Amino acid sequence: MSLDFPWYLRKPCDMDQKIADYALSEGISVQRARELARKGKINAKRVGRSWVVMEGSRRHVAGSRALSEQSQADLIEYLNTRSFRHVSGHRKARLAGRVRGLLVSPNPAGMLRDFFSDQGTISGLGGASIVRASLAGHDDFVRDLFTNMEFRENLPSPDAVARKLHDARVLRGFSVEQAAHQSGMPLKEYRRLESKGEARLGNITAVAAFRALGAPLPAVIKAKRFEDSL
């Protein structure tokens, strides 16, 4: 006799997500996440006045409707630079969620077609050309691009190290505090590494931070070493 309960009969457990955390991880607004919960599009239940998304729920597939003009521009700029430096706050969190979705999707071209479904002609190189390839139905080409989007990179200066570490953290959805904990570093020291590319053991500490975040290790890395106390 199976002891498995339907998701809607289970009590919330420690691995269940608050609706706001779920929205952040999916790159959608909290209002949109609540709407999906109310319509039964995700496995969620009310606990008091809040929604809780149950562990093991089928993830909402981002890309089901066109993005706003601002969000489209943000995504194209990321595809151009592979960086989140051009956005902040909720825009950064939403963009990171969409990029994570594209990286794990078996059909990123289909997601991009949904994201840009209301667009006519999209001009420009770089990210814009990837969007055009998606709209033209070149799914295999776009899939290969996203499969190889994270690559070993040359980081020849502390500034380059700081930039890449910031982008790796944001892409994986970690807060600064979570990244510091994951890296086994004091928070103040991690902040210094991400803002200035400086660490007590220089390259050794920087490599350990990239490894802890699950990011590709740089081919060349030059973090700055310091000896003064924090």
Side-chain angles (χ1 to χ4, degrees):
M1 178 177 178
S2 174
L3 296 180
D4 292 335
F5 291 93
W7 67 267
Y8 49 82
L9 293 181
R10 289 199 303 106
K11 293 182 179 179
C13 70
D14 291 340
M15 296 300 292
D16 296 332
Q17 283 184 301
K18 293 181 179 178
I19 198 73
D21 294 333
Y22 177 83
L24 182 63
S25 69
E26 292 296 304
I28 59 177
S29 68
V30 176
Q31 181 179 4
R32 173 65 173 157
R34 289 191 186 115
E35 178 186 353
L36 292 170
R38 284 194 298 270
K39 292 182 177 180
K41 301 293 186 181
I42 55 176
N43 293 345
K45 67 181 296 185
R46 277 218 181 252
V47 178
R49 295 184 177 182
S50 303
W51 283 99
V52 173
V53 182
M54 312 304 281
E55 179 189 7
S57 298
R58 180 178 61 83
R59 292 175 63 87
H60 167 65
V61 179
S64 58
R65 58 182 180 180
L67 302 181
S68 68
E69 185 175 340
Q70 179 66 74
S71 294
Q72 289 175 344
D74 287 346
L75 180 53
I76 287 178
E77 183 62 18
Y78 175 83
L79 296 175
N80 286 335
T81 64
R82 306 294 196 272
S83 176
F84 295 98
R85 292 286 185 179
H86 59 291
V87 286
S88 61
H90 292 304
R91 282 172 58 193
K92 180 183 290 187
R94 291 189 185 113
L95 175 59
R98 287 164 185 144
V99 173
R100 285 195 296 272
L102 287 163
L103 288 172
V104 301
S105 173
N107 185 21
M111 290 182 67
L112 287 174
R113 279 194 290 275
D114 288 338
F115 284 151
F116 292 85
S117 60
D118 64 342
Q119 284 290 336
T121 302
I122 298 177
S123 60
L125 303 175
S129 66
I130 297 175
V131 174
R132 286 199 300 275
S134 300
L135 296 175
H138 301 304
D139 291 24
D140 290 342
F141 171 74
V142 174
R143 185 183 301 112
D144 288 343
L145 285 177
F146 278 94
T147 298
N148 298 294
M149 186 162 288
E150 284 202 279
F151 56 90
R152 297 183 64 184
E153 189 174 343
N154 291 338
L155 304 176
S157 69
D159 285 345
V161 171
R163 171 190 55 78
K164 190 64 177 180
L165 188 62
H166 165 268
D167 291 333
R169 173 180 64 78
V170 172
L171 179 58
R172 282 153 182 81
F174 289 167
S175 68
V176 174
E177 292 77 11
Q178 288 171 326
H181 177 75
Q182 189 81 3
S183 303
M185 298 172 60
L187 178 58
K188 198 169 184 179
E189 185 169 355
Y190 179 87
R191 288 185 186 277
R192 182 164 178 167
L193 177 60
E194 189 176 300
S195 64
K196 298 182 178 180
E198 300 176 351
R200 292 183 189 278
L201 298 179
N203 289 346
I204 294 175
T205 304
V207 167
F210 280 111
R211 183 176 285 116
L213 294 178
L217 297 183
V220 173
I221 182 170
K222 290 187 178 179
K224 184 176 180 180
R225 182 170 182 166
F226 69 86
E227 298 179 357
D228 56 299
S229 60
L230 290 171

